[in-house]
Amino acid sequence: MFLDVLYGVLPLFFIMLIGFGTSYAPKFPASVEPALNVFVFYVALPALLYKVVARADISDGVPFSFLWISIAATLLFAVMSWAFFRYLLRVGPQRALAGMLTTSFGNVSYLGIPVIIGVMGPEAGFAAGMGQLVHNIIFMVGFPILAQIMLPTGAHAEQHPASGSRLLRTIRSALLYSPVTWAMVIGGAVVLTGVHVPGPIDDTIDLLSAAAAPGALFVIGMSLKRTIERSRAARNAEAVEDQASTVRAKSSMLVMIIGKLVALPLLTVVMLQLFAPQLDRIWFNAAVLMAAMPVSATAYIMAHNDTGNGEPTAVAIVITCLLSVIALPVLAQLVLK
C-alpha cells in the first residue's frame, strides 16, 4: 500500500514542482496564477465534479456513516485544536481561531480530489466529491460565521459586529455562488433523473475535466512562491519578538503540522473503526485521505481576512505540503483498507 500510494501521489507533486518552477520564469508573471486559478475553480473543477457525480453508481446512495463521521470528526478536532491553542498555548483569540483553521482545514479540492482519484481510481470520484463538499461547507461557511461571532470587532477595526444580514451573505457566497456546489447539484440531478446528455456535451465536459487535476496542482505549485515569501516575512517578524513569543510561535507551528497530517486523520480512523467498521473501503479511505490533506491554500486568505493572523498559516501550508509526500503513503500503509 505504501508504494501504491507513493507512486500515485508522486506525479501529482511533480506537477506542483513544475508549477513552482515556472513561477520564477519570465514567461509566467504573477498575473498568470490568478487567471489559472479562476479557470480551474470556475470551469475545470466543476466539470470534473459534475462528471464524477453524474456518472457515479448511486444505487447504494451515500453512506450516512461517512457523512456524519466526517463532519463529527472534523468539528470535534477543530474544537479541540481551538482549546489547545487558547488555553494550553495561551495565545490570543485571533491566533487561536487561525490556529484552529490551519490545523483542521485541508486542501480537499485542489489536492484531495486528484489524490483520491489517483490512488483509488475514477470509481472513487463520487466519494472524493462528497468528502470535499463536507470539509468545504464546514470551514468556508462555518469559519467566517464563527469568526464574526467570536471576534465581533473583526480582524480590522473598521469591521462591524456580526449581524443576520452579514451571516446570510457569508452563507450565500459560500454555497449559492459556488460553482463547485452547483456542479455537484446538477450532476446529482442528471444521475437521479436519468436524463440523456448529448454526446457532444459529454465530450466537452470530458475535455474540461481532464484539465482539473493538472491545472489545480499547477496552480498550487505556482502559489507556493507567494506562500514562501510570506513565510520568510513571518520569520523576519518573529526575529524581533521576545524569546517567549518565539517559543510559543514554534510550538503553535508544531501543533498545526502534527495536528493536520497526523492527529485529524487518526481521529477520523478511530471514529470510523468504532462506529462504521463495515464501511466500504472507497468511502473509508476517502474520509481518511480528505482528513490527511495538507493545509488548504484558502486557509491563509481566510485566516488573514477573518482574524488578521495569516502568517503562521502561510508557513504551515509550505511545510505540510512538503511533508505530505511521505505522510500520505505512511498513513496509507498503516490505516487504509
Side-chain angles (χ1 to χ4, degrees):
M1 178 65 79
F2 177 89
L3 289 179
D4 291 340
V5 176
L6 180 63
Y7 292 160
V9 301
L10 273 180
L12 307 180
F13 283 94
F14 288 157
I15 294 176
M16 290 171 57
L17 286 176
I18 293 171
F20 176 68
T22 57
S23 67
Y24 289 90
K27 294 288 187 182
F28 289 82
S31 59
V32 171
E33 183 205 330
L36 286 176
N37 186 61
V38 168
F39 168 73
V40 171
F41 184 73
Y42 285 94
V43 180
L45 187 60
L48 175 62
L49 289 173
Y50 164 83
K51 173 182 173 180
V52 298
V53 174
R55 301 178 189 177
D57 179 7
I58 61 169
S59 56
D60 296 328
V62 179
F64 180 68
S65 56
F66 169 85
L67 293 176
W68 83 259
I69 291 174
S70 296
I71 294 171
T74 305
L75 289 177
L76 175 61
F77 187 75
V79 172
M80 292 168 58
S81 299
W82 176 83
F84 192 94
F85 283 108
R86 190 73 178 94
Y87 297 112
L88 292 182
L89 295 181
R90 297 182 180 180
V91 302
Q94 287 90 350
R95 286 199 174 190
L97 277 177
M100 178 199 74
L101 177 71
T102 306
T103 311
S104 309
F105 187 23
N107 199 333
V108 292
S109 296
Y110 280 12
L111 189 57
I113 292 174
V115 165
I116 290 174
I117 293 177
V119 170
M120 293 189 289
E123 64 272 16
F126 184 44
M130 293 304 300
Q132 68 83 28
L133 187 63
V134 166
H135 284 258
N136 277 330
I137 288 177
I138 289 174
F139 292 105
M140 298 190 73
V141 176
F143 182 79
I145 292 175
L146 183 64
Q148 289 176 30
I149 294 172
M150 297 186 70
L151 304 174
T153 58
H156 308 285
E158 68 272 11
Q159 291 188 353
H160 303 287
S163 65
S165 60
R166 287 185 65 211
L167 298 180
L168 184 61
R169 285 198 301 270
T170 298
I171 296 173
R172 185 176 58 196
S173 297
L175 292 179
L176 296 183
Y177 295 161
S178 171
V180 170
T181 302
W182 280 107
M184 296 193 69
V185 169
I186 295 172
V190 168
V191 73
L192 288 173
T193 59
V195 172
H196 174 69
V197 179
I201 295 179
D202 256 352
D203 293 342
T204 301
I205 292 171
D206 285 342
L207 289 171
L208 290 173
S209 65
L217 296 166
F218 192 86
V219 168
I220 293 175
M222 291 196 73
S223 70
L224 285 178
K225 179 183 178 181
R226 289 185 297 105
T227 306
I228 290 173
E229 290 171 352
R230 294 180 189 129
S231 302
R232 289 172 177 167
R235 285 199 300 270
N236 292 335
E238 289 174 5
V240 299
E241 294 181 355
D242 58 56
Q243 185 175 1
S245 298
T246 301
V247 170
R248 188 180 295 112
K250 291 181 178 179
S251 299
S252 297
M253 185 58 55
L254 188 62
V255 171
M256 292 176 188
I257 294 167
I258 295 177
K260 188 69 210 70
L261 296 180
V262 179
L264 177 55
L266 289 184
L267 175 62
T268 304
V269 170
V270 169
M271 293 187 66
L272 287 168
Q273 294 286 13
L274 284 176
F275 301 109
Q278 303 305 317
L279 185 65
D280 181 81
R281 63 174 292 272
I282 286 181
W283 292 97
F284 180 98
N285 293 347
V288 175
L289 287 173
M290 280 298 178
M293 287 299 109
V295 180
S296 171
T298 307
Y300 167 80
I301 299 172
M302 297 172 66
H304 178 73
N305 291 342
D306 294 322
T307 74
N309 192 251
E311 287 73 19
T313 303
V315 180
I317 290 170
V318 176
I319 296 175
T320 56
C321 194
L322 294 174
L323 292 180
S324 63
V325 179
I326 297 300
L328 288 174
V330 170
L331 179 74
Q333 179 65 32
L334 295 176
V335 302
L336 293 191
K337 291 185 177 181

